[in-house]
Amino acid sequence: MKGKKIILGISGSIAAYKIPMLVRLLLKKGAEVKIVMTPSAASFVSPLVLSTLTKHPVLIELSSNETWANHVALGRWADLMIIAPASCNTIAKMANGICDNLLLAVYLSAACPVMVAPAMDEDMWNHPSLQQNLLKLKSYQNIVLNTEHGELASGLIGFGRMLEIEKLITEIDSFFNTKQRLKNKKALVTAGPTYENLDPVRYIGNYSSGKMGIAIAEILANEGCEVLLVLGPTPLTTVHTNIKTINVRSAQQMLNACMTHFTETDIAVMSAAVADYTPITVSDSKIKKNDGEFTIQLKKTTDILKQLGTIKTSSQVLIGFALENNNEKTYALKKLQEKNADAIVLNSLNDEGAGFAHDTNKITIFEKNGTETNYELKNKKEVAKDIVEKIIKLCL
Ligand code: CTP
């Protein structure tokens, strides 16, 4: 972000009180920031604080007695305009070309990309007019960020909270740092565990957190790829403009979601820890204990990766995982061949710091053409970058 010129447009929403922290972090990363506010934003955050931080005057009015704010020059100066928080009112005006304040004049004359971070109460967020307006902004190629779920100014809990500042920084970072090499590509990523129900209160599951798959989805999305994340039951989530999440629970639900979307996919990464077996019968009522032993009969689930391998076309890239603790290479190569994948990412449980419960992972990638690439132990985000680099090569 060093040397990047950013115009930060602040509109009237309670989330504006967080903006000085955003400014501080942008400056710390080496960006130059100029601020434009709507008149109502000044009730939520002090222009004096912002002008002191940015070392530039904060612009609110199109003109005062002697000066005229040159909105065209501002719009041409910036590498990126961020509107955060973007209130329902400001979004409606942006979508419809209304120009009754300086922020809107700068937006309408901005020659640079525009990123929008909405903030409002959930009922406003869900209103069809707001959603239509966001679609309009997207059609103008504006980068529209999601909102978060959480406590709102009204005291209600729901969607509509502006993205947390750290996540905004991640979005801005990825805007400047990636080359969007997967623009116009679509990916399907599975992540997390699956839970197979035994009765209304019990299930068979596994320790997968979904961290690895979510990290892959995020790196693909940063490269401009449109990602569909099929996520098993995990408390982890992700917010990214390019990621749509389908939450599933069982192996069958994960299979159904993958089968529905695979044909429209260019890249499929099967990183979920899918149950290999599921109970033959699921009891409608809670199973009661008795004196004897209890046996559960299981049947095989469908292997999703293998199923996709049988229908994949030569233009689709299919990546699988293998989690092994003995004969790792032999099993990984067997999976590569039997599941018709283009590459298998091997995690060995024998490597310290690798596997389900860790923030780190150590992988080896085996490709169909015989290439074997070994990587060091790394943070899962860095591992995801290595995997996506391989995917990009396979896509070319
Ligand atoms: N996989 C899948 N559907 C299943 C089982 C596995 O899509 N029902 C995928 C996983 O997402 C992973 C790969 O297959 O990409 C390998 O999973 P793994 O559990 O390592 O191997 P299995 O094929 O299940 O074989 P085993 O458990 O015997 O090692």
Side-chain angles (χ1 to χ4, degrees):
M1 226 184 274
K2 207 169 163 46
K4 296 293 179 196
K5 299 188 184 84
I6 296 174
I7 294 177
L8 186 50
I10 308 173
S11 66
S13 154
I14 181 73
Y17 83 89
K18 300 177 181 172
I19 295 304
M21 187 51 76
L22 175 66
V23 172
R24 226 177 72 81
L25 292 172
L26 291 173
L27 295 171
K28 228 172 139 185
K29 283 178 169 278
E32 188 179 350
V33 182
K34 289 188 181 176
I35 304 229
V36 188
M37 289 170 108
T38 64
S40 68
S43 319
F44 296 99
V45 61
S46 151
L48 181 62
V49 170
L50 294 165
S51 63
T52 311
L53 282 174
T54 59
K55 300 187 177 65
H56 288 293
V58 169
L59 302 166
I60 302 178
E61 304 293 343
L62 255 170
S63 62
S64 62
N65 282 347
E66 288 129 39
T67 54
W68 173 72
N70 188 338
H71 53 88
V72 179
L74 259 179
R76 285 174 179 259
W77 169 82
D79 297 304
L80 175 69
M81 179 175 191
I82 307 163
I83 301 178
S87 67
C88 194
N89 185 39
T90 290
I91 289 171
K93 290 180 181 177
M94 288 161 65
N96 293 289
I98 296 172
C99 186
D100 64 359
N101 62 40
L102 180 63
L103 185 153
L104 292 162
V106 175
Y107 166 70
L108 290 168
S109 26
C112 60
V114 178
M115 188 179 273
V116 184
M120 66 204 67
D121 248 284
E122 191 178 34
D123 295 335
M124 294 164 98
W125 172 253
N126 286 334
H127 198 283
S129 74
L130 182 270
Q131 291 299 327
Q132 281 299 325
N133 287 334
L134 291 180
L135 284 179
K136 275 195 188 174
L137 296 188
K138 285 182 186 169
S139 75
Y140 309 153
Q141 308 307 317
N142 294 167
I143 304 160
V144 179
L145 304 177
N146 269 323
T147 59
E148 291 202 23
H149 190 271
E151 199 174 333
L152 300 162
S154 61
L156 298 172
I157 307 280
F159 277 99
R161 273 172 70 92
M162 188 177 76
L163 273 195
E164 287 303 334
I165 297 302
E166 303 75 54
K167 289 188 182 162
L168 262 176
I169 288 283
T170 310
E171 294 285 349
I172 299 162
D173 251 339
S174 75
F175 169 82
F176 284 121
N177 291 338
T178 59
K179 301 173 201 99
Q180 303 276 298
R181 288 171 293 175
L182 295 174
K183 212 170 166 55
N184 303 322
K185 296 271 185 214
K186 288 187 178 181
L188 172 69
V189 178
T190 65
T194 61
Y195 287 177
E196 306 303 317
N197 286 351
L198 278 170
D199 70 10
V201 294
R202 301 181 183 96
Y203 61 84
I204 300 172
N206 62 65
Y207 289 116
S208 168
S209 62
K211 262 185 209 152
M212 193 64 247
I214 289 174
I216 293 170
E218 287 173 348
I219 303 293
L220 286 168
N222 287 349
E223 288 287 352
C225 191
E226 202 182 303
V227 182
L228 185 70
L229 175 67
V230 182
L231 186 61
T234 163
L236 301 183
T237 53
T238 176
V239 183
H240 196 297
T241 3
N242 290 352
I243 302 179
K244 190 173 158 234
T245 305
I246 299 182
N247 290 102
V248 296
R249 181 174 169 87
S250 65
Q252 184 63 44
Q253 288 171 354
M254 192 171 271
L255 171 72
N256 294 347
C258 289
M259 292 305 282
T260 306
H261 296 282
F262 184 60
T263 47
E264 71 218 30
T265 291
D266 303 292
I267 299 156
V269 184
M270 300 289 106
S271 55
V274 190
D276 290 328
Y277 293 93
T278 189
I280 289 180
T281 53
V282 181
S283 173
D284 287 338
S285 53
K286 186 183 167 208
I287 301 168
K288 302 300 284 179
K289 68 170 175 286
N290 52 37
D291 291 340
E293 286 183 345
F294 180 65
T295 308
I296 304 166
Q297 276 205 304
L298 302 172
K299 63 180 179 195
K300 260 183 115 166
T301 57
T302 305
D303 188 320
I304 304 170
L305 174 62
K306 194 169 179 180
Q307 185 74 21
L308 300 186
T310 59
I311 54 173
K312 103 177 187 71
T313 63
S314 56
S315 62
Q316 288 175 304
V317 171
L318 180 61
I319 311 292
F321 276 71
L323 182 65
E324 313 289 347
N325 69 352
N326 65 327
N327 293 330
E328 291 96 336
K329 183 170 174 178
T330 311
Y331 285 130
L333 289 174
K334 194 163 174 257
K335 283 175 189 170
L336 178 68
Q337 202 232 330
E338 286 179 354
K339 303 194 188 200
N340 192 29
D342 295 290
I344 287 281
V345 181
L346 168 70
N347 306 282
S348 169
L349 283 174
N350 294 329
D351 287 323
E352 185 112 351
F356 281 173
H358 302 280
D359 281 331
T360 49
N361 207 358
K362 186 172 186 312
I363 59 161
T364 304
I365 301 182
F366 296 95
E367 290 169 63
K368 206 153 81 175
N369 65 8
T371 310
E372 172 182 336
T373 317
N374 294 287
Y375 298 86
E376 296 298 306
L377 183 77
K378 293 179 183 180
N379 175 290
K380 281 187 175 167
K381 202 95 192 173
E382 296 303 312
V383 173
K385 283 185 187 162
D386 289 335
I387 295 170
V388 171
E389 283 305 317
K390 258 299 174 232
I391 291 172
I392 289 169
K393 285 201 185 102
L394 287 166
C395 282
L396 296 176

